[in-house]
């Protein structure tokens, strides 16, 4: 089996047995490759095409053109970014004849069966080029409808964020659509360029371009934005730029059609109860300032005008936060029935959604229908999924081991972006059909969505005692106890009638941690019970290891001992045993199960110290994530005295850690040999030949750090025990003399 890289390029070659430096190298590489970028704000039209709860874009031209005639054609156009040349897996369903062109090439034409039955869903697999890719959909009106649905086959794991084409719309989110025509306007190899001015396409596109621009405030601007009956109070926010060096007098001049309050950087400069002229002077210095205006509806109009000056020179006003695809210099929040009981710094917190009349209120742009919408476009930072939960947990333990506060702060920024945007994500999902931040907790319908990331939040809470994490932790705990589907005997399983060994990790470490947080035995009792139930379905006693999956449709396990599936089991059992009360009724049963598994895994360790992708097949590749989890489980057992003969396991841990640093982690901290995310099969060949490894896959990076941390703790414990034993021996010798 070929090595992932030469030994001279390994972490072991550079650092030998230095575990803290090894973990620091892995952590530094991960953070450098995944900078802590915030979400992107983009201009989005509220009357554009929204998505279904499955993440498909509902390109319904009937809603846009209810009087369309049979046979008329409409075009829907967008572009999609790809970091590399890759394949895109699209799901499509149609209500009428539909053609799809990607990068000028026709990749899909609807069949007559699809056109007659809109419930049929077709998967279209098509290549994407690196950079921007054009998507042009041609739809013809028929008696059955006028539209189609299009999107990712798995929006939860691979969301597709389509952006508007044409030079003048660059940065805006969502699809645009054309006027109707009686004949085809575009065809393969003949479509508008993504970068051209849209007027050159020869057809009108919607939403109209002028609607996408933010406008300056005027005396009746809020009436046009919100209507007269929608509320009485609204807010405007801009960034005031003072370019004068030294002290200067800044003048704000204008007029208001109703009551008004004005703040500069949280300092109130004006509180005027009635309509009239505005004139404010204040001492300013070079720099930028948040300018926030509260406006109350007047008797006939609702709005204000405002011009900032230093001397006779007009000051610049900019958008207070970059909104891709928008111009102008103001953002708007409202309407409300009354003033917000919040400081301007709280009002302008883009992570907040405000309530009015039972609904959510978020920032809009200056033309009716256009809003600012946050999109999460980072590959990893700020996302919420189970393998990132494992990665963040590893980073947190590493930060604690190294005393690296910067690592903890990096993790906290990632988790805080998820936690603080949770309420917005719910709002976004309800308003637009599918949330733009791809936080899986919002789609909560499986253990994958909550358990592993919840365990990382628990670890962060234990280090910080930050109370803002507690409500979300309770949501996760309530889901596991009250909503997650179970068998009649109480065992967790999945909606497709399968039970996966993986789900012990997706649930029980969190349950154990939540028990330690709350002291509620319900959670640790459930964690212990899950292991005994999963053992009943998945344990293969002749090998003393676990099958990956049990299929209840056929009432049989798959009998494939996948490496990482077994790793999840041992890792999680070690976490539960560590939290389990000494007098718990299931403790002896779980200890016995732990020892049986350890015996089975010990026998299957490979010659290089690593375990294999298929545990019983030495010809399958050496897999990093399961190796790290067996290290973790063995090392924790040695440290806590759970193993009657710890010596073979201590040696196995040493050999495995050497194997990881020799063969799996290179000198730059890149982690090799991690199996990608899996499905399941009854065939070992799927795991061996189809389920291949990926460099720096987050299923393994965090586990390697967690393993190293536990190895270090084991060595520290063994050294302490040896020291105590040597003192005891000396004392005995002294007493005998």
């Amino acid at each position: 089996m070929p090595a992932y890289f030469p030994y001279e390029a390994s972490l072991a070659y550079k650092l030998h047995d230095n575990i803290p430096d090894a973990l620091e190298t892995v952590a530094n590489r991960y953070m450098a490759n995944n900078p802590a970028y915030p979400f992107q704000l983009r201009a989005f039209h509220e009357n554009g095409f929204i998505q279904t709860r499955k993440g498909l874009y509902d390109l319904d031209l009937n809603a846009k053109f209810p009087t369309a005639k049979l046979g008329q054609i409409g075009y829907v156009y967008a572009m999609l970014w790809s970091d590399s040349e890759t394949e895109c897996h699209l799901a499509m369903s149609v209500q009428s004849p539909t053609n799809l062109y990607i990068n000028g090439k026709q990749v899909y034409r609807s069949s007559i069966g699809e056109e007659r039955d809109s419930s049929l869903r077709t998967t279209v697999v098509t290549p994407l080029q690196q950079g921007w890719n054009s998507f042009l959909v041609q739809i013809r009106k028929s008696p059955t409808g006028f539209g189609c649905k299009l999107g990712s086959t798995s929006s939860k794991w691979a969301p597709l964020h389509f952006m508007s084409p044409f030079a003048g719309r660059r940065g805006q989110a969502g699809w645009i659509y054309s006027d109707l025509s009686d004949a085809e306007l575009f065809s393969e190899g003949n479509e508008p360029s993504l970068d051209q001015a849209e007027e050159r396409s020869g057809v009108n596109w919607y939403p109209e371009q002028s609607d996408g621009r933010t406008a300056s405030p005027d005396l009746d601007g809020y009436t046009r934005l919100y209507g007269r009956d929608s509320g009485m109070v609204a807010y405007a926010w801009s960034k005031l730029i003072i370019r004068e060096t030294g002290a200067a007098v800044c003048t704000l001049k204008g007029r208001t059609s109703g009551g008004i309050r004005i703040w500069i950087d949280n300092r109130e400069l004006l509180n005027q109860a009635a309509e009239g002229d505005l004139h404010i002077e204040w001492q300013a210095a070079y720099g930028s300032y948040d300018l926030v205006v509260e406006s109350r509806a007047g008797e006939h109009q609702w709005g204000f005008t405002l011009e900032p000056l230093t001397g006779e020179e007009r000051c610049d006003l900019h958008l207070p936060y970059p909104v891709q695809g928008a111009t102008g210099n103001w953002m708007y929040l409202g309407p409300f029935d009354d003033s917000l009981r919040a400081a301007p710094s709280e009002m302008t917190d883009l992570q907040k959604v405000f309530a009015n009349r039972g609904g959510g209120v978020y920032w809009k742009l200056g033309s009716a229908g256009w809003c600012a919408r946050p999109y999460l476009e980072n590959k990893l930072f700020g996302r919420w999924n189970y393998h990132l939960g494992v990665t963040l947990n590893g980073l947190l333990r590493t930060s604690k081991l190294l005393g690296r506060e910067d690592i903890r702060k990096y993790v906290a920024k990632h988790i805080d972006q998820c936690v603080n945007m949770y309420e917005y994500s719910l709002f976004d999902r309800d308003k637009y059909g599918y949330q733009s931040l791809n936080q899986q907790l919002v789609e909560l319908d499986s253990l994958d969505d909550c358990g592993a990331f919840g365990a990382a939040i628990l670890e962060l809470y234990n280090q910080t005692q930050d109370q803002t994490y507690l409500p979300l932790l309770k949501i996760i705990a309530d889901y596991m106890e009250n909503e997650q589907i179970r068998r009649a005997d109480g065992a967790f399983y999945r909606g497709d009638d399968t039970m996966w060994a993986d789900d012990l990790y997706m649930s029980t470490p969190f349950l154990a941690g939540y028990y330690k947080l709350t002291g509620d035995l319900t959670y640790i009792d459930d964690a212990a019970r899950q292991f005994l139930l999963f053992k009943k379905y998945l344990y293969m006693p002749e090998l003393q290891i676990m099958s990956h999956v049990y299929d209840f449709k056929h009432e049989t396990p798959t009998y494939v001992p996948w490496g990482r599936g077994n790793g999840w089991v041992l890792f999680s059992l070690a976490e539960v045993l560590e939290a389990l009360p000494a007098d718990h009724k299931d403790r002896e049963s779980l200890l016995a199960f732990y020892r049986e598994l350890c015996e089975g895994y010990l026998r299957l360790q490979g010659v290089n110290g690593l375990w294999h992708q298929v545990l019983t097949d030495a010809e399958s590749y050496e897999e990093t994530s399961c190796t790290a989890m067996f290290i973790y489980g063995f090392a924790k057992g040695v440290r806590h005295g759970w193993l009657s003969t710890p010596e073979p396991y201590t040696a196995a841990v040493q050999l495995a850690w050497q194997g990881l640093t020799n063969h799996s982690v290179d000198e730059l901290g890149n982690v090799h040999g991690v199996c990608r995310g899996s499905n399941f099969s009854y065939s070992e060949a799927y795991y061996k030949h189809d389920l291949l490894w990926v460099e720096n896959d987050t299923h393994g990076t965090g586990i390697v750090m967690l393993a190293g941390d536990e190895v270090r703790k084991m060595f520290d414990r063994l050294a302490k025990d040896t020291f105590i034993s040597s003192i005891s021996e000396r004392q005995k010798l002294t007493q005998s003399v």
Side-chain angles (χ1 to χ4, degrees):
M1 185 177 301
Y4 297 124
F5 43 79
Y7 171 68
E8 289 75 14
S10 71
L11 199 60
Y13 184 78
K14 297 293 185 182
L15 296 176
H16 306 289
D17 297 325
N18 190 321
I19 293 175
D21 284 0
L23 299 191
E24 188 165 40
T25 302
V26 174
N28 286 344
R29 195 282 312 162
Y30 178 84
M31 293 188 297
N33 283 17
N34 298 285
Y37 294 138
F39 51 76
Q40 289 275 0
L41 274 185
R42 294 188 178 276
F44 181 82
H45 200 283
E46 293 175 328
N47 294 325
F49 297 110
I50 65 171
Q51 292 171 266
T52 69
R53 285 298 174 93
K54 295 293 185 182
L56 302 182
Y57 290 84
D58 189 1
L59 307 181
D60 181 9
L61 290 180
N62 257 340
K64 308 301 181 187
F65 301 104
T67 61
K69 299 175 183 178
L70 291 178
Q72 284 194 301
I73 296 171
Y75 291 89
V76 185
Y77 197 23
M79 59 186 189
L80 181 70
W81 177 265
S82 179
D83 288 327
S84 61
E85 292 186 4
T86 187
E87 282 188 341
C88 180
H89 292 248
L90 292 173
M92 292 200 65
S93 62
V94 304
Q95 295 112 41
S96 59
T98 300
N99 293 326
L100 171 62
Y101 303 90
I102 297 181
N103 295 327
K105 181 178 179 181
Q106 184 170 359
V107 299
Y108 170 80
R109 178 184 177 185
S110 59
S111 69
I112 57 175
E114 292 168 317
E115 293 161 12
R116 289 199 300 259
D117 186 355
S118 62
S119 67
L120 294 177
R121 197 170 96 161
T122 301
T123 298
V124 179
V125 181
T126 182
L128 293 182
Q129 64 191 20
Q130 185 177 18
W132 287 111
N133 295 263
S134 65
F135 281 65
L136 181 68
V137 187
Q138 180 196 75
I139 308 170
R140 187 183 295 271
K141 169 80 171 181
S142 78
T144 58
F146 193 15
C148 71
K149 293 183 174 69
L150 178 156
S152 172
T153 56
S154 179
S155 289
K156 180 180 284 191
W157 300 103
L160 299 178
H161 291 165
F162 287 96
M163 302 297 155
S164 300
F166 296 134
R169 296 180 184 266
R170 185 55 62 95
Q172 293 176 9
W175 297 74
I176 62 174
Y177 58 99
S178 72
D179 268 337
L180 303 186
S181 63
D182 295 322
E184 291 187 0
L185 300 176
F186 308 110
S187 57
E188 184 168 285
N190 173 33
E191 65 177 42
S193 167
L194 294 176
D195 296 320
Q196 73 181 50
E198 63 186 86
E199 306 86 62
R200 291 185 56 203
S201 69
V203 63
N204 294 324
W205 297 89
Y206 305 94
E208 289 182 325
Q209 178 66 359
S210 59
D211 288 346
R213 305 296 176 174
T214 53
S216 297
D218 61 62
L219 289 174
D220 205 29
Y222 287 121
T223 303
R224 290 192 298 276
L225 277 177
Y226 303 126
R228 292 291 295 173
D229 299 324
S230 59
M232 294 294 295
V233 180
Y235 295 85
W237 176 27
S238 186
K239 186 74 72 173
L240 173 62
I241 310 298
I242 304 294
R243 303 193 186 280
E244 294 285 330
T245 57
V249 175
C250 181
T251 304
L252 297 175
K253 297 169 59 178
R255 184 168 177 81
T256 177
S257 57
I260 194 169
R261 296 174 74 187
I262 298 176
W263 295 267
I264 292 285
D265 278 359
N266 259 359
R267 181 162 65 98
E268 186 172 348
L269 297 184
L270 177 71
N271 188 344
Q272 182 171 311
E275 64 176 308
D277 293 332
L278 305 175
H279 187 98
I280 309 167
E281 293 185 356
W282 60 289
Q283 287 293 123
Y286 180 89
S288 62
Y289 300 85
D290 279 314
L291 171 59
V292 177
V293 179
E294 176 190 274
S295 179
R296 286 186 166 271
E299 185 176 353
H300 303 292
Q301 292 181 307
W302 184 10
F304 67 94
T305 63
L306 202 61
E307 181 182 24
L309 302 165
T310 51
E312 299 298 321
E313 295 293 323
R314 195 178 191 282
C315 299
D316 289 335
L317 291 172
H318 290 176
L319 276 174
Y321 190 92
V323 182
Q324 302 292 334
T327 59
N329 41 39
W330 292 85
M331 293 167 60
Y332 301 89
L333 183 68
F336 299 98
D337 291 330
D338 207 346
S339 299
L340 292 176
R341 296 182 178 180
S345 57
E346 185 179 349
M347 297 176 203
T348 56
D349 183 349
L350 292 170
Q351 297 176 327
K352 289 185 177 296
V353 176
F354 294 89
N356 192 55
R357 299 186 181 182
V361 179
Y362 195 69
W363 289 93
K364 294 181 180 293
L365 304 176
S367 296
W370 286 89
C371 63
R373 190 178 180 194
Y375 284 78
L376 182 58
E377 298 173 359
N378 303 329
K379 282 186 176 180
L380 296 177
F381 184 83
R383 292 190 178 275
W384 175 301
N385 58 46
Y386 74 83
H387 39 98
L388 278 171
V390 183
T391 304
L392 298 176
N393 213 337
L395 287 167
L396 283 170
R397 303 263 187 106
T398 297
S399 74
K400 192 173 181 181
L401 171 67
L402 301 175
R404 284 272 304 271
E405 182 68 9
D406 62 314
I407 298 178
R408 187 194 64 76
K409 287 182 177 179
Y410 173 89
V411 176
K413 281 185 81 171
H414 183 135
I415 289 177
D416 287 351
Q417 185 158 300
C418 294
V419 171
N420 294 338
M421 291 302 289
Y422 175 66
E423 291 298 329
Y424 174 82
S425 294
L426 293 174
F427 161 81
D428 192 280
R429 178 201 64 188
D430 294 341
K431 188 173 183 64
Y432 304 119
Y434 195 81
Q435 41 108 12
S436 58
L437 293 171
N438 192 233
Q439 292 200 53
Q440 291 184 9
L441 189 66
V442 175
E443 303 178 59
L444 185 54
D445 62 7
S446 72
L447 294 168
D448 276 3
D449 296 337
C450 58
F453 207 96
I457 297 177
L458 275 169
E459 178 67 27
L460 182 58
Y461 175 80
N462 291 335
Q463 292 189 20
T464 64
Q465 300 299 299
D466 187 335
Q467 303 292 300
T468 60
Y469 303 133
L470 295 180
L472 218 54
L473 291 172
K474 188 176 189 307
I475 288 171
I476 295 170
D478 286 346
Y479 171 80
M480 285 193 191
E481 287 305 300
N482 302 313
E483 297 182 43
Q484 167 62 29
I485 60 172
R486 298 173 183 249
R487 303 290 296 171
D489 57 10
F492 293 142
Y493 79 118
R494 301 192 177 199
D496 62 353
D497 276 342
T498 58
M499 170 187 283
W500 294 38
D502 315 40
D503 284 342
L504 285 171
Y505 182 83
M506 308 307 159
S507 58
T508 61
F510 175 83
L511 291 170
Y514 202 68
Y515 154 70
K516 289 194 290 186
L517 175 67
T518 64
D520 189 338
L521 285 166
T522 300
Y523 301 103
I524 196 66
D525 287 347
D526 197 13
R529 177 174 56 155
Q530 292 304 321
F531 274 98
L532 300 178
L533 290 168
F534 273 58
K535 180 182 181 183
K536 179 176 72 172
Y537 292 107
L538 297 175
Y539 186 54
M540 297 188 288
E542 69 282 3
L543 296 172
Q544 293 180 271
I545 58 179
M546 302 283 274
S547 169
H548 180 206
V549 169
Y550 190 96
D551 190 338
F552 291 102
K553 294 186 295 294
H554 302 288
E555 291 297 343
T556 181
T558 58
Y559 293 110
V560 179
W562 179 43
R564 186 157 68 232
N566 278 266
W568 292 130
V569 174
L570 191 66
F571 182 103
S572 305
L573 184 51
E575 293 289 275
V576 170
L577 283 171
E578 190 173 47
L580 204 66
D583 59 351
H584 194 277
K585 62 182 179 60
D586 292 326
R587 185 169 185 81
E588 290 308 313
S589 297
L590 293 182
L591 274 172
F593 185 32
Y594 168 83
R595 291 165 184 152
E596 290 172 31
L597 289 171
C598 286
E599 288 177 10
Y601 299 140
L602 184 65
R603 285 195 296 269
L604 295 171
Q605 188 174 24
V607 294
N608 290 322
L610 290 82
W611 280 262
H612 291 270
Q613 165 75 344
V614 178
L615 291 178
T616 52
D617 184 354
E619 296 301 314
S620 63
Y621 65 88
E622 295 171 319
E623 205 282 321
T624 297
S625 65
C626 74
T627 297
M629 287 191 276
F630 293 144
I631 289 172
Y632 187 92
F634 285 0
K636 195 176 283 285
V638 170
R639 182 161 66 90
H640 287 293
W642 298 335
L643 297 156
S644 54
T645 54
E647 292 79 11
Y649 299 98
T650 304
V653 167
Q654 292 176 300
L655 180 62
W657 183 252
Q658 289 171 359
L660 284 184
T661 56
N662 284 342
H663 301 287
S664 294
V665 186
D666 68 27
E667 61 186 333
L668 300 178
N670 296 300
V671 180
H672 303 253
V674 178
C675 174
R676 63 176 175 83
S678 75
N679 205 314
F680 82 93
S681 173
Y682 283 91
S683 168
E684 292 186 1
Y686 163 73
Y687 296 85
K688 182 176 180 178
H689 300 298
D690 298 334
L691 205 55
L692 301 179
W693 68 271
V694 181
E695 182 178 323
N696 292 326
D697 190 281
T698 46
H699 290 85
T701 302
I703 290 293
V704 167
M705 289 185 278
L706 288 165
D709 179 60
E710 196 57 49
V711 172
R712 177 63 183 265
K713 289 175 181 174
M714 182 193 78
F715 285 147
D716 288 348
R717 178 69 191 206
L718 291 173
K720 181 179 179 181
D721 289 347
T722 301
F723 178 71
I724 292 172
S725 176
S726 65
I727 291 176
S728 177
E729 289 299 319
R730 286 199 297 272
Q731 287 175 338
K732 289 179 183 178
L733 182 61
T734 302
Q735 290 169 359
S736 65
V737 172

